[in-house]
Amino acid sequence: MRRELLEQYARVAGEHVISHLEQLAAPLRGATIVHVNSTREGGGVAEILHKLLPLKEALDLNVRWEVLEGNPDFFACTKSFHNGLQGTPVGMPERLLSAYQDTVAANAEKLRGTLEDADFVIIHDPQPAALLQHCSGRRGHWVWRCHIDLSHPYRPVWKFLRGFVRSYDASIFSLPEFAQILDHPQYLIPPSIDPLSEKNTDLPETEVAAIFSRFGLDPELPLLVQVSRFDRFKDPLGVIAAFRLARTMIPVQLALVGGGASDDPEGQAVLAEVREASEGDPDIHVIDLPPDAHRTINAFQRAADIVLQKSLREGFGLTVTEALWKAKPVIGGDTGGIRLQVVNHQTGFRVRTPEGTALRIRYLLHHRDIMAEMGRRAREFVRENFLLTRHLQEYLSLMLALRDGDRERIELGAS
Ligand code: UDP
């Protein structure tokens, strides 16, 4: 079973990639690795952990995933941390900060044994960051893995969070622009997609085509798709503005496909804004999906002529990677992790305004041959850079570096 999984990855990423993973994992066999985040469904972090863990297990690593439990005040507080860290000035009322501290303390009570015994603890994003201060008996190495765009943090929020993060042994960011002044080593590891998952696997053409009738789309009109949580940083209203401009130049329809995450309390309000902005427009389809609608999202990304991700801030943007893997050019906001993935004229276009977005939409729809060529390049770009196997290689290298940091030489090899 485990061997079979590795062979499946080898078929997509190459044999050499798998044997390198086996070499890196061999010295870590028997080590316990615990990941902690704040939701099991919805958003990029959960998406990655669902896929990373089975691959680690296939390499005989002893891995666990724990999820913080919190009340609405806790998630209101951490969502405002999230907004603040991505640059929005936010208030930090005492009541919410206490909810944050109390919730992390209560979770620490439950998880302390597991966390203190682990060889490696990887804490994802701000929500569980304060756990470390409750685990003074820790044995292992603790790494703070930041998935969000920290390029322009609102200072009071970062200052508060930095108080917890500074005690970690290392932190990981997706881009150099997100790195901060910290005394410990900072590593750059971009995220990845799983090519074998329901979200990304090949689909029969009939399943893709069925999207049009299932969601009331017009099979004759070119389709623009943005897949995102309903979040203001994803700029759904900017997408609607861009679409309306594009439609004055070329016939086209838009699907805004999304859903919520259990750690994101603002989703419903943003969804209501999007519904209001698109009300009565038969060419804008706002589609709210349950968190497990992976095949449906896969089909939307494949049915699209062009995928949009017009974010204003973006830690990485797995939705961009997913679309590129499906050989779709992406028109993406010129920000954060989108800059790593969307290379102008190669894999898509980076844009800043609805006007710029509309012009790129028109250009691509008028140049189908260029669009197809970009799509081919996009898929290879992801194969080289953003598959789960590369991501895990970097995690394993980081764990070896932390464990054997003082040694002059780290011996690798299947043992
Ligand atoms: N996603 C999903 N359902 C939705 C919206 C998003 O499954 O309704 C998935 C999407 O396909 C991607 C992840 O959630 O895999 C979002 O990751 P991304 O890095 O794009 O953004 P985040 O939500 O983490 O800010």
Side-chain angles (χ1 to χ4, degrees), residues 32-344:
T32 310
I33 305 159
V34 183
H35 290 265
V36 187
N37 81 324
S38 61
T39 177
R40 217 170 270 284
E41 293 288 356
V45 180
E47 183 85 17
I48 293 167
L49 290 177
H50 274 295
K51 306 305 168 194
L52 194 63
L53 268 72
L55 182 53
K56 282 187 174 173
E57 278 166 0
L59 291 162
D60 291 329
L61 301 173
N62 185 2
V63 53
R64 292 179 66 153
W65 174 10
E66 302 291 347
V67 176
L68 277 202
E69 286 172 14
N71 58 22
D73 272 357
F74 172 75
F75 288 117
C77 180
T78 58
K79 179 70 189 189
S80 96
F81 284 174
H82 178 95
N83 291 340
L85 292 172
Q86 295 208 131
T88 309
V90 290
M92 296 170 68
E94 209 40 58
R95 181 177 63 84
L96 291 189
L97 293 182
S98 317
Y100 175 72
Q101 304 266 26
D102 294 349
T103 304
V104 176
N107 278 275
E109 280 308 308
K110 274 194 292 179
L111 298 176
R112 184 171 293 113
T114 305
L115 296 177
E116 287 188 343
D117 283 350
D119 296 292
F120 297 95
V121 177
I122 320 259
I123 298 287
H124 296 263
D125 281 341
Q127 298 91 333
L131 276 173
L132 175 54
Q133 68 173 20
H134 299 281
C135 294
S136 52
R138 63 145 161 160
R139 240 170 29 84
H141 303 278
W142 283 58
V143 181
W144 186 58
R145 199 314 174 210
C146 175
H147 293 267
I148 56 192
D149 182 338
L150 261 192
S151 55
H152 304 86
Y154 177 58
R155 287 286 151 193
V157 176
W158 172 240
K159 204 171 152 218
F160 177 77
L161 198 71
R162 188 174 178 275
F164 306 117
V165 169
R166 61 196 309 175
S167 312
Y168 281 67
D169 299 306
S171 41
I172 306 176
F173 297 95
S174 298
L175 254 75
E177 293 91 296
F178 302 165
Q180 299 294 321
I181 297 173
L182 288 163
D183 289 336
H184 58 231
Q186 299 179 56
Y187 293 85
L188 296 175
I189 305 185
S192 62
I193 58 161
D194 178 4
L196 305 182
S197 69
E198 292 235 287
K199 180 74 60 62
N200 296 308
T201 185
D202 286 346
L203 292 181
E205 270 178 34
T206 48
E207 192 172 340
V208 176
I211 283 293
F212 289 89
S213 56
R214 198 172 141 205
F215 291 97
L217 308 178
D218 181 344
E220 304 300 325
L221 270 184
L223 175 61
L224 308 174
V225 170
Q226 174 159 306
V227 174
S228 282
R229 285 179 300 107
F230 290 100
D231 179 310
R232 295 191 184 94
F233 286 121
K234 311 288 183 183
D235 199 19
L237 299 184
V239 173
I240 291 175
F243 162 75
R244 290 200 163 125
L245 279 172
R247 189 173 50 184
T248 62
M249 301 182 274
I250 191 162
V252 66
Q253 64 189 322
L254 170 67
L256 285 166
V257 181
S262 61
D263 62 349
D264 177 359
E266 288 177 358
Q268 286 307 314
V270 178
L271 175 58
E273 287 167 19
V274 171
R275 288 227 157 100
E276 195 187 326
S278 58
E279 205 176 334
D281 191 326
D283 296 327
I284 303 180
H285 304 267
V286 180
I287 296 161
D288 184 18
L289 293 175
D292 59 352
H294 302 297
R295 272 184 100 89
T296 307
I297 289 179
N298 185 343
F300 263 108
Q301 289 165 330
R302 288 178 193 279
D305 291 271
I306 300 170
V307 170
L308 307 176
Q309 189 58 56
K310 215 196 110 8
S311 304
L312 305 170
R313 288 274 194 275
E314 191 60 78
F316 182 66
L318 287 179
T319 51
V320 173
T321 336
E322 289 158 6
L324 297 176
W325 180 242
K326 288 154 195 145
K328 302 294 168 179
V330 173
I331 300 179
D334 187 10
T335 187
I338 295 176
R339 292 189 179 142
L340 271 186
Q341 306 190 68
V342 175
V343 182
N344 276 333

